Amino acid sequence: MNDNKKLNCWEFKKCGREPGGSKAAELGVCPSSIDDNYHGVHGGFNAGRGCWAVAGTFCNGERQGTFAQKIANCVECDFLRKVLAEEFGSRKNHPAY
């Protein structure tokens, strides 16, 4: 695997909820894997590198709510931290912090 490849959340978390994924039929497809409004953002496929902005994603085995309802959990997420580090050097350099 290319160490420089920017992973999508489902690749990083290995949840299997992307279309055709190992758990998609059983648990449903995660909205971030099919939401094309964020396609290409941070180099991701669909919302794969912007999952925190998509309502109804599956995180830690549970369906999450709206952005406002879930963002407190998202800022503690290892994947969000990875994306911010790759894109901005650290969370501290992100304009929102």
Side-chain angles (χ1 to χ4, degrees):
M1 183 169 124
N2 181 355
D3 289 339
N4 295 324
K5 180 182 183 287
K6 292 183 174 184
L7 297 175
N8 293 296
C9 58
W10 56 87
E11 295 166 320
F12 181 81
K13 294 288 193 175
K14 298 180 182 0
C15 67
R17 291 181 166 166
E18 71 279 8
S22 62
K23 295 184 180 177
E26 174 189 353
L27 301 172
V29 172
C30 183
S32 67
S33 68
I34 58 173
D35 187 333
D36 63 0
N37 291 310
Y38 298 96
H39 185 72
V41 173
H42 303 305
F45 182 80
N46 287 340
R49 288 180 61 84
C51 50
W52 54 88
V54 178
T57 55
F58 299 103
C59 302
N60 300 320
E62 296 182 20
R63 182 180 298 271
Q64 303 296 299
T66 65
F67 174 80
Q69 293 169 325
K70 70 183 209 163
I71 192 60
N73 292 329
C74 294
V75 297
E76 300 301 324
C77 176
D78 52 346
F79 180 70
L80 174 58
R81 291 177 183 205
K82 175 182 174 54
V83 171
L84 293 180
E86 289 173 355
E87 299 300 319
F88 302 101
S90 78
R91 189 168 80 173
K92 292 184 294 187
N93 294 331
H94 188 277
Y97 290 95

